[in-house]
C-alpha cells in the first residue's frame, strides 16, 4: 500500500500543501475554519501521519526537549522533571531525561546525544558545569536554560530560586526558637563553592548565624545529598559528645536521613533536637515529625524554563528579554523545628 503524502491530503481537501502544513503545525499562518475542517477530514479519511523525522530534518528541530538532572532518584529532581514534562506537554513538546550522576563526562555525553537529536532546546540542571560542557553548548549554538542553579562556566539563560535567602529564613526560624546555635549539613568536598544551590544554602546559614552573633566554627559538616549517606553522617554526629541542639540541612533528603538517625538513637525531635530542610519535597509532610523546610514554586519555575527554551527571541543578539528569572523562597513551618 502506497504511503499517504501531504500532496494526497492537499488534493483531497482541494487546497495547497502549504495550507496542509499550516493546519498540521498550527501555523505559522492562520487557516480559515472551513478550510481547516476540510484538511482535517482529509487527514482522517486517508489515515495520514506526519513524518516527524522529515519535519525535523527540514526545520532542524524536533518536538523534543532534552533535560539533564544529577540524579532523578532524588525526590527534588524527580519532582522538577515531572513539572517540566507537564509544562512541555502544554506546549506540545515531549521531554527526554538523562542522569549525569554528578559526573561531568556523563553530562557532556547527554549534551552531545540530545543536541545530536536536534531537540528544540535543553534544560540543564548541572552540578558545576565544566568548561568542556560549556564549549559543547557553544559549538552546537544550542538553546540551553540552566535550571535550579547557574554555574559560573557559562553565561546563559537561567531559572533559579533564592537559595541563599531561603536558607537564611530557615536558620533564623530555628534560632528564634531559642536554640544556642544551629549546625549545618552542607555538601561534599566536590560541591562547587560558587553557583551551586547547596553552597548558597551554606552561605545563607552562615549569614543568619553571623547576624545572630553565633559562631559557625566547627558547626558545618560535610554530607552527601541523599538520605542514605546523610543518615550515616547523622548517626556519627548525633552519637558524639557535641550533639548540636538544631540542624539545618541543605536538602530535605539529608533532613530525612537525620530524622531516621535521631529515631534510631532515641533522640526526641523536636524535644532534644530541631531539624529543618530545604526543597519541600512531597515526603517532607509525611516524616515523623513533619519536616519544616524551604519551598520554591517548582511548577512556575518549570513553565518559565520551558517558555525560555522555546523562545526564539533569546537567540537574537542584543535581545532585551530577561535572561535570568529568580523565584522567591518561602518557609514551610511544620513540627520538626519545635512549632506546635
Amino acid at each position: 500500500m502506497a504511503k499517504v503524502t501531504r500532496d494526497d491530503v492537499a488534493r483531497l481537501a482541494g487546497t495547497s500543501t502549504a495550507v496542509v502544513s499550516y493546519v498540521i503545525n498550527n501555523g505559522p499562518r492562520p487557516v480559515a475554519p472551513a478550510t481547516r475542517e476540510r484538511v482535517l477530514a482529509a487527514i482522517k479519511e486517508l489515515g495520514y501521519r506526519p513524518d516527524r523525522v522529515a519535519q525535523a530534518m527540514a526545520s532542524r528541530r524536533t518536538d523534543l526537549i532534552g533535560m539533564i538532572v544529577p540524579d532523578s532518584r532524588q525526590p527534588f529532581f524527580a519532582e522538577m522533571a515531572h513539572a517540566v514534562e507537564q509544562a512541555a506537554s502544554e506546549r506540545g513538546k515531549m521531554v527526554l531525561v538523562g542522569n549525569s550522576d554528578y559526573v561531568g563526562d556523563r553530562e557532556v555525553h547527554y549534551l552531545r546525544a540530545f543536541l545530536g537529536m536536534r531537540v528544540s532546546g535543553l534544560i540543564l540542571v548541572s552540578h558545576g558545569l565544566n568548561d568542556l560542557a560549556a564549549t559543547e553548548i557553544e559549538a552546537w549554538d544550542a538553546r540551553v536554560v540552566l535550571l535550579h542553579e547557574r554555574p559560573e562556566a557559562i553565561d546563559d539563560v537561567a531559572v533559579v530560586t533564592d537559595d541563599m535567602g531561603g536558607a537564611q529564613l530557615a536558620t533564623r526560624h530555628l534560632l528564634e526558637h531559642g536554640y544556642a546555635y544551629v549546625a549545618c549539613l552542607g555538601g561534599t568536598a566536590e560541591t562547587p563553592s560558587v553557583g551551586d544551590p547547596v553552597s548558597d544554602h551554606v552561605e545563607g546559614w552562615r549569614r543568619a548565624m553571623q547576624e545572630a552573633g553565633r559562631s559557625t566554627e566547627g558547626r558545618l559538616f560535610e554530607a552527601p545529598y541523599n538520605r542514605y549517606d546523610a543518615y550515616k553522617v547523622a548517626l556519627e554526629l548525633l552519637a558524639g559528645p557535641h550533639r548540636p541542639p538544631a540542624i539545618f540541612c541543605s536538602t530535605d533528603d539529608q533532613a530525612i536521613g537525620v530524622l531516621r538517625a535521631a529515631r534510631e538513637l532515641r533522640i526526641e525531635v523536636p524535644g532534644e533536637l530541631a531539624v529543618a530542610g530545604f526543597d519541600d519535597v512531597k515526603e517532607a509532610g509525611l516524616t515523623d515529625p513533619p519536616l519544616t523546610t524551604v519551598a520554591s514554586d517548582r511548577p512556575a519555575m518549570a513553565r518559565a524554563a520551558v517558555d525560555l527554551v522555546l523562545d526564539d527571541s533569546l537567540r537574537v543578539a542584543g535581545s532585551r528579554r530577561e535572561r535570568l528569572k529568580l523565584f522567591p523562597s518561602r518557609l514551610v513551618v511544620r513540627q520538626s523545628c519545635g512549632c506546635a
Side-chain angles (χ1 to χ4, degrees), residues 152-303:
E152 291 293 297
I154 186 171
D155 180 23
D156 211 322
V157 185
V159 178
V160 297
T161 191
D162 184 6
D163 290 292
M164 198 176 300
Q168 285 180 275
L169 284 175
T171 306
R172 286 172 185 158
H173 182 76
L174 290 172
L175 290 169
E176 287 167 359
H177 275 280
Y179 303 114
Y181 68 91
V182 178
C184 177
L185 283 195
T188 63
E190 291 74 30
T191 301
S193 59
V194 179
D196 183 86
V198 169
S199 63
D200 285 346
H201 297 170
V202 172
E203 181 60 26
W205 162 78
R206 184 177 286 112
R207 291 185 182 186
M209 287 281 283
Q210 290 172 347
E211 289 170 359
R214 315 293 169 85
S215 173
T216 59
E217 186 68 28
R219 293 169 177 173
L220 172 62
F221 302 92
E222 289 187 358
Y225 307 126
N226 68 81
R227 66 189 66 180
Y228 310 105
D229 292 323
Y231 154 76
K232 297 176 184 177
V233 172
L235 276 178
E236 183 176 349
L237 173 61
L238 298 181
H242 304 294
R243 187 180 76 210
I247 302 177
F248 165 66
C249 301
S250 295
T251 72
D252 281 352
D253 256 19
Q254 290 176 330
I256 291 171
V258 170
L259 291 175
R260 177 68 181 85
R263 176 178 289 275
E264 187 169 312
L265 295 171
R266 300 183 184 279
I267 297 171
E268 183 183 350
V269 178
E272 300 173 88
L273 172 70
V275 181
F278 201 113
D279 288 334
D280 194 31
V281 299
K282 296 293 185 183
E283 292 167 277
L286 299 176
T287 57
D288 185 18
L291 180 65
T292 292
T293 184
V294 178
S296 57
D297 192 343
R298 279 191 286 277
M301 291 177 67
R303 285 193 297 272

Side-chain angles (χ1 to χ4, degrees), residues 59-62 65-66 93 115 118-124 137 140-146 156-157 306-315:
S59 66
R60 300 185 62 81
R61 187 185 304 176
T62 66
I65 293 175
K93 303 294 183 181
L115 295 175
R118 294 180 176 173
V119 294
S120 293
L122 194 64
I123 295 175
L124 177 58
I137 291 171
W140 281 88
D141 189 25
R143 278 182 292 178
V144 176
V145 173
L146 302 173
D156 211 322
V157 185
V306 170
D307 288 345
L308 287 171
V309 87
L310 298 178
D311 189 347
D312 285 322
S313 72
L314 289 171
R315 295 177 67 82

